[in-house]
């Protein structure tokens, strides 16, 4: 299966699990709803007649909305190239060579050294602006450390420069996303997952895929998710099941020494598919494999 990478290169994205997850989805989907969309790796790789993408992080949903506004790849690339030149960033895709002295002096981190000053001035400009500029935000993401999205308590984007650049993989991801978008009917929303759509408004053959924060694993977006959020989420899934709506969701049942007991109990009444886990964390020492699963309410 050919997998399209999301242009958001989302930390913890599901790109590697697409071949294991997507074949379990229903074949004929009228509306594919992804209420915790993040980078959207699953949506962009799932055939459907229409899509509804939602994320309560307005920077994430805003990036999708901004990408969907773009006319085509060539016009977007011209805007990106113009801004990269204006700011003084260097990009291998745009043919910028790395000076040999920089490669010798910093054999593993020359991209970061090359772009640090320009990146920091772009970040300062972005943080000064009241109306967020998504082209600048996208460039901060692409040139930022681990392609992370992170803000400090005062709402300032605070990711340092990364040892990455705008390369051909980045360009391919953009092109593929815009190609998918041009052939699809896509709506983006920013809010809590329960507000993405009213159950009464669902067309026949709607399907939900959820990738919520995990109760027992650590990531930036997992911090606000505790036991009460987990139980509310199960209630929401139950309400969909009661309305005869199909759904599937990704999660981890065990992670290092922890077990998500709430999920183990609740999942007994559903189908649980084991996945070959790719869950890697910088806390891991690799001696204990997490149990990563897809839970679904249909055969
Ligand atoms: C695990 S990530 C999704 C990653 C995605 N599957 C991918 O492949 O890129 C979970 C997302 O849920 C969002 N989120 C967390 N709580 C939410 C809520 N209550 N309602 C809507 N979105 C939420 C976070 O902002 C985050 O982007």
């Amino acid at each position: 299966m050919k997998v399209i990478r999301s242009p958001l290169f989302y930390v913890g994205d599901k790109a590697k699990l697409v071949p294991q997850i997507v074949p379990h989805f229903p074949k004929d989907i009228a509306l594919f709803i992804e209420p915790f969309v993040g980078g959207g790796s699953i949506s962009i790789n799932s055939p459907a007649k229409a899509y509804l993408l939602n994320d309560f992080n307005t920077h994430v949903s805003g990036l999708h909305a901004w990408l969907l506004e773009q006319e085509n790849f060539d016009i977007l690339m011209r805007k990106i190239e113009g801004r990269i030149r204006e700011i003084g960033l260097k990009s291998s895709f745009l043919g910028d060579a790395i000076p040999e002295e920089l490669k010798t002096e910093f054999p593993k981190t020359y991209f970061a050294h090359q772009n640090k000053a320009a990146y920091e001035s772009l970040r300062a400009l972005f943080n000064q602006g009241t109306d967020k500029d998504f082209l600048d935000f996208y460039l901060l993401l692409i040139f930022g450390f681990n392609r992370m999205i992170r803000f400090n308590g005062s709402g300032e984007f605070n990711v340092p420069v990364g040892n990455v650049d705008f390369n051909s993989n980045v360009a391919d991801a953009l092109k593929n996303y815009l190609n998918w978008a041009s052939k699809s009917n896509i709506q983006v929303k920013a809010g809590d997952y329960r507000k993405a759509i009213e159950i009464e408004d669902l067309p026949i053959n709607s399907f939900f895929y959820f990738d919520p924060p995990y109760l027992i694993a650590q990531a930036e977006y997992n911090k606000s998710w505790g036991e009460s959020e987990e139980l509310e989420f199960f209630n929401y899934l139950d309400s969909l099941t009661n309305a005869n709506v199909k759904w599937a969701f990704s999660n981890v049942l065990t992670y290092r020494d922890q077990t998500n007991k709430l999920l183990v109990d609740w999942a007994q009444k559903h189908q649980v598919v084991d996945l070959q886990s790719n869950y890697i964390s910088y806390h891991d020492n690799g001696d204990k494999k997490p149990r990563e699963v897809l839970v679904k309410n249909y055969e």
Side-chain angles (χ1 to χ4, degrees):
M1 177 177 190
K2 186 175 172 284
V3 177
I4 297 175
R5 279 308 301 269
S6 161
L8 274 69
F9 297 96
Y10 215 62
V11 176
D13 71 21
K14 287 287 176 290
K16 288 211 180 100
L17 291 177
V18 163
Q20 294 186 65
I21 291 178
V22 172
H24 290 284
F25 291 169
K27 293 291 161 277
D28 182 19
I29 301 175
L31 180 62
F32 187 97
I33 304 153
E34 194 171 356
F36 299 89
V37 73
S41 303
I42 298 293
S43 286
I44 57 184
N45 286 290
S46 299
K49 294 208 177 66
Y51 301 82
L52 172 56
L53 318 180
N54 177 76
D55 203 293
F56 77 167
N57 181 330
T58 52
H59 291 98
V60 174
S61 44
L63 265 178
H64 284 289
W66 174 75
L67 287 167
L68 292 171
E69 273 166 22
Q70 305 306 318
E71 277 168 72
N72 64 43
F73 176 73
D74 291 338
I75 297 179
L76 176 57
M77 268 320 295
R78 257 178 266 143
K79 288 188 209 167
I80 289 174
E81 178 166 9
R83 192 60 175 155
I84 283 181
R85 295 283 171 248
E86 220 166 59
I87 294 293
L89 289 162
K90 301 280 186 249
S91 148
S92 55
F93 182 73
L94 298 177
D96 297 326
I98 312 268
E100 284 309 317
E101 317 84 75
L102 210 57
K103 281 192 180 168
T104 316
E105 197 177 349
F106 306 104
K108 293 203 170 128
T109 54
Y110 46 82
F111 280 126
H113 280 88
Q114 170 149 287
N115 281 320
K116 188 172 189 295
Y119 180 87
E120 286 173 0
S121 67
L122 177 66
R123 193 179 58 193
L125 277 176
F126 176 77
N127 283 330
Q128 279 154 22
T130 40
D131 203 9
K132 291 303 177 212
D133 182 319
F134 278 98
L135 171 56
D136 285 358
F137 184 54
Y138 170 72
L139 291 178
L140 288 172
L141 176 72
I142 292 304
F143 287 90
F145 178 74
N146 276 356
R147 306 237 160 91
M148 271 166 37
I149 296 180
R150 193 184 64 194
F151 289 83
N152 66 18
S154 325
E156 289 170 332
F157 186 76
N158 67 354
V159 175
V161 69
N163 193 36
V164 281
D165 86 325
F166 195 108
N167 56 28
S168 57
N169 290 337
V170 174
D172 282 348
L174 263 186
K175 194 182 239 169
N176 289 333
Y177 185 101
L178 293 189
N179 183 36
W180 169 70
S182 71
K183 294 195 209 128
S184 312
N185 169 356
I186 307 162
Q187 201 192 344
V188 180
K189 287 201 174 177
D192 182 73
Y193 67 95
R194 286 159 290 202
K195 303 256 169 64
I197 190 163
E198 296 296 332
I199 295 180
E200 311 77 75
D201 297 341
L202 288 170
I204 295 170
N205 292 338
S206 291
F207 175 71
F208 283 80
Y209 167 72
F210 299 91
D211 186 16
Y214 297 161
L215 187 62
I216 57 166
Q218 286 148 19
E220 194 63 24
Y221 44 66
N222 290 338
K223 286 184 184 147
S224 59
W225 196 266
E227 293 200 348
S228 65
E229 284 76 15
E230 186 84 345
L231 292 170
E232 280 168 33
F233 176 58
F234 295 160
N235 282 337
Y236 183 71
L237 295 179
D238 285 339
S239 65
L240 291 177
T241 303
N242 292 337
N244 279 325
V245 178
K246 289 183 181 165
W247 52 253
F249 77 94
S250 298
N251 219 294
V252 284
L253 282 183
T254 56
Y255 179 69
R256 306 174 88 210
D257 296 329
Q258 304 170 68
T259 297
N260 183 341
K261 295 198 186 68
L262 295 178
L263 177 57
V264 171
D265 288 348
W266 182 82
Q268 281 175 7
K269 53 183 178 184
H270 299 295
Q271 309 270 321
V272 179
V273 179
D274 272 277
L275 305 174
Q276 279 298 93
S277 183
N278 72 337
Y279 203 87
I280 310 163
S281 150
Y282 54 90
H283 302 286
D284 267 350
N285 48 21
D287 55 1
K288 205 157 192 188
K289 274 208 142 197
R291 184 168 169 214
E292 195 154 4
V293 291
L294 183 75
V295 183
K296 54 192 189 104
N297 71 343
Y298 55 94
E299 290 292 325

